[in-house]
Amino acid sequence: MSFLDLVLKKRNGEKLMPEEIDFLVEKYVAGEIPDYQMSAFLMAVYFNSMDGEETVKLTEAMADSGDRLDLSGVEGFKVDKHSSGGVGDSVSLVLVPLVGAVGLKIGKLSGRGLGHTGGTIDKLESIPGFRVSLSTQEFLTGMESDGMAIMEHTSDLVPADQKLYELRDVTGTVESLPLIVSSIMSKKIACGPDGVVLDIKSGAGAIMKEFDRAKELAQGCVDIGKEVGLNVTALITDMNQPLGRAVGNSLEVREAIKVLKDETSGDLREVTVNLVAELLLQSEKVDSMEEGVNQAEDKLASGLALEKFKRLIENQGGNPEVIEDPNLLPTGENRAEIQLEEEGYVSKLDALKIGRAANTLGAGRQEKGEEIDRAVGIEIEKKIGDELTASEPVARIHYNDDSNLEEAKRLIRDAFSISPSPSSAPELIKERIR
Ligand code: URA
C-alpha cells in the first residue's frame, strides 16, 4: 500500500477502507509518512470529508495508536468532559472538583491553549507548585482517593492526535468535521470512562461558528459514542461572547475560585452545573436534570466543591492558600480601563477578538512551545444586554509589558457593539444531544 495512493483516493472523493485508515495512522505515528504528504491528505479530507464508517474507523485507529488508561481498579462511575474550545472557558476548573463533590470519579486529561482559545493546563499552572505531569499511578490514586485528578495529555495516550492536531493547526485543516470528531472521541475512548459530557461551543469564538455545524459536530461525537458503546451527551453552548468575565490564565483561576466559593452566579456557573447534572443523569444517581442541577448547586452552596478544589491542589503539589488569598496567583503589574465613550446597551461582544486581545498581551502562544504570561488578561465589565453609561469601563486590561497594549485595546474596542435599545443575551445552552 502506498500513502500517495490514499492521498489520491481521498483527493478524488473516494471512500477509504478500514485497513487503509489503520495503515495511515500507524505509519504516520511511526514517523514513516512525512508531514508534507499528511498535510495533503488532511486537506483532501477537509474538502471531501469522510463518511460515518470512515470516521468511526479513524477514531478507533487513533485511540489505538498508544496506550489506553485502565480505570478498572477505580470504583464508582467514572466520567470525562471535553470542550471544543472557547474564550474564558474555565469550566473544567470548576467542574472537576464539583464532580468529585457529587460523588462521581473524574480523571481529566487536558491541553494547553491553542490559537485564540485558552487551555486548562496553562490555567492550572498559575497556581504556584501545581503539577500537571503525573504518573499514571498518581493519576489513578487521585481518582480513587478524592474522586478527581487532572493532568496534561501525554504522548503515551493517543499520540496520533498530538501529531495530527499540531499539523492541522498549521495547515488550515482544523475545521473539518471528521477530523474534529476523531480527535475528540479518540481521546475520550482511550481514557476509558463510563460516561462523557461534551461542551460543544457555537459562535464567534468557537471552532464551529454556525449553530448547524456545531450540531453536526455534537451529533457526530454522540454517534461515535453509540458505535463504540460509550455513553456520550453533548451540550451546544454559546461562544458568541466569552464565558464568564475573565479571560487570561490566572484571572480565570480567580473567577473559578469565586464560583467554587459560591460568591457569584452567571454563565460560567450555569454551564458547569448543567454539564455536571448531565453526568449525574448518565450515572443514574439522579432521575432528572432538575435533580442533577439541584445536587450540583447544593455542593457549591455547602462548600464541599471548594473543599474538593483544595484537595485537588494539595494532591498535585500546589499551594492551596491561593483559595483564601488569590493575590498569591500571578498578578499583572498594570491596569488599563477600556471606555467606549458611548451610551446604550451592549448588543455584541465578539469572543474571537477578546481571545486575540488576550493573546496579544501574552496570555497565549503565537508559536508552539512559547513561554506565556499567566498574569495578563482581560476582565470583562459589560456583557451582551448590559446597560452602559459613557463614564463606565467595558473592560479592564491586566498587563506587564506595554509593547502590544494599543493593539489589545483596539481589539477590545472593536469587540463591542453598542445599540440604543436593550438586546437580550444569546441563549446559553442551545441544545442537548443525548
Ligand atoms: N478539540 C479537540 O480535542 N480536537 C479538535 O480537533 C478540536 C477541538
Side-chain angles (χ1 to χ4, degrees):
M1 200 181 298
S2 117
F3 186 66
L4 179 58
D5 290 339
L6 304 188
V7 177
L8 293 172
K9 229 175 149 178
K10 207 17 96 188
R11 189 199 68 183
N12 296 338
E14 291 171 44
K15 177 171 174 157
L16 298 184
M17 293 294 110
E19 59 278 13
E20 292 172 328
I21 293 175
D22 276 335
F23 172 86
L24 75 88
V25 172
E26 272 169 31
K27 296 287 174 196
Y28 184 57
V29 171
E32 292 170 30
I33 295 173
D35 280 351
Y36 60 81
Q37 267 193 323
M38 184 51 90
S39 306
F41 177 78
L42 294 172
M43 194 55 87
V45 173
Y46 179 89
F47 282 112
N48 290 328
S49 198
M50 283 181 152
D51 72 8
E53 280 172 5
E54 288 174 293
T55 309
V56 172
K57 183 62 218 174
L58 178 61
T59 308
E60 286 176 333
M62 286 170 67
D64 285 333
S65 64
D67 297 341
R68 287 197 185 203
L69 269 180
D70 179 7
L71 300 184
S72 58
V74 179
E75 278 181 24
F77 193 83
K78 290 145 277 185
V79 300
D80 202 352
K81 172 260 174 187
H82 195 89
S83 159
S84 61
V87 178
D89 180 3
S90 46
V91 167
S92 291
L93 300 178
V94 182
L95 180 134
V96 168
L98 188 51
V99 165
V102 297
L104 302 175
K105 302 277 170 80
I106 186 161
K108 173 111 187 62
L109 283 107
S110 289
R112 295 185 182 275
L114 198 73
H116 67 279
T117 65
T120 302
I121 292 299
D122 288 329
K123 295 170 199 181
L124 282 170
E125 279 184 343
S126 330
I127 300 173
F130 196 99
R131 283 191 307 120
V132 294
S133 299
L134 301 181
S135 67
T136 307
Q137 194 46 54
E138 284 175 310
F139 186 72
L140 296 177
T141 303
M143 284 182 79
E144 275 160 29
S145 59
D146 290 292
M148 38 175 205
I150 188 160
M151 69 173 185
E152 186 172 14
H153 265 285
T154 68
S155 50
D156 303 345
L157 287 165
V158 204
D161 181 59
Q162 253 181 10
K163 285 194 76 176
L164 285 171
Y165 202 108
E166 278 175 19
L167 193 59
R168 286 167 58 210
D169 199 27
V170 293
T171 55
T173 52
V174 168
E175 296 92 346
S176 152
L177 210 77
L179 297 181
I180 304 177
V181 168
S182 54
S183 163
I184 294 179
M185 291 307 295
S186 59
K187 287 179 286 211
K188 300 302 102 179
I189 294 168
C191 290
D194 301 312
V196 173
V197 71
L198 301 176
D199 183 5
I200 304 292
K201 308 283 189 194
S202 145
I207 293 186
M208 292 307 191
K209 312 237 179 286
E210 294 90 29
F211 172 76
D212 289 347
R213 292 280 288 160
K215 189 168 172 179
E216 267 184 84
L217 171 57
Q219 190 66 58
C221 292
V222 171
D223 290 347
I224 297 267
K226 247 182 244 161
E227 285 287 333
V228 303
L230 181 58
N231 203 342
V232 180
T233 303
L235 298 195
I236 302 174
T237 66
D238 182 65
M239 190 35 70
N240 281 298
Q241 62 178 341
L243 193 65
R245 289 183 179 265
V247 179
N249 299 289
S250 66
L251 291 175
E252 292 185 46
V253 174
R254 279 173 187 259
E255 186 173 33
I257 291 173
K258 274 178 132 188
V259 175
L260 287 162
K261 281 182 167 170
D262 196 25
E263 286 177 358
T264 178
S265 56
D267 51 8
L268 169 62
R269 179 174 180 144
E270 192 180 333
V271 169
T272 312
V273 161
N274 272 273
L275 292 167
V276 173
E278 290 288 355
L279 291 169
L280 281 166
L281 204 57
Q282 283 182 1
S283 72
E284 299 180 354
K285 274 180 175 269
V286 299
D287 296 322
S288 67
M289 271 303 285
E290 193 189 354
E291 206 186 326
V293 165
N294 288 341
Q295 258 200 36
E297 283 288 351
D298 280 354
K299 303 301 180 231
L300 287 172
S302 71
L304 187 57
L306 183 68
E307 190 53 37
K308 283 283 180 181
F309 190 51
K310 184 163 177 251
R311 292 288 304 162
L312 180 75
I313 296 175
E314 283 166 353
N315 287 353
Q316 301 200 200
N319 182 358
E321 285 170 28
V322 294
I323 291 176
E324 286 320 314
D325 184 3
N327 289 327
L328 294 171
L329 293 164
T331 306
E333 275 170 27
N334 309 302
R335 308 278 180 276
E337 295 206 330
I338 306 291
Q339 278 168 314
L340 302 180
E341 317 295 344
E342 276 180 88
E343 291 201 333
Y345 296 85
V346 179
S347 55
K348 194 171 163 207
L349 169 51
D350 188 318
L352 178 59
K353 289 186 178 146
I354 298 291
R356 285 194 180 144
N359 273 10
T360 300
L361 294 166
R365 296 175 184 80
Q366 312 294 334
E367 281 171 36
K368 204 179 141 233
E370 203 177 19
E371 200 37 60
I372 57 170
D373 188 344
R374 289 181 175 74
V376 301
I378 301 156
E379 269 181 282
I380 311 274
E381 289 292 334
K382 298 286 176 185
K383 293 193 64 169
I384 298 176
D386 287 350
E387 190 174 2
L388 177 69
T389 58
S391 60
E392 287 178 299
V394 289
R396 185 170 301 104
I397 297 180
H398 293 233
Y399 67 102
N400 283 321
D401 164 8
D402 63 8
S403 51
N404 288 322
L405 184 61
E406 290 312 313
E407 172 66 0
K409 283 183 178 172
R410 188 190 62 74
L411 281 162
I412 296 170
R413 286 200 187 98
D414 272 6
F416 281 89
S417 301
I418 308 299
S419 72
S421 49
S423 39
S424 47
E427 192 181 14
L428 185 58
I429 298 173
K430 297 171 190 294
E431 194 151 328
R432 296 165 198 269
I433 301 181
R434 298 195 174 109

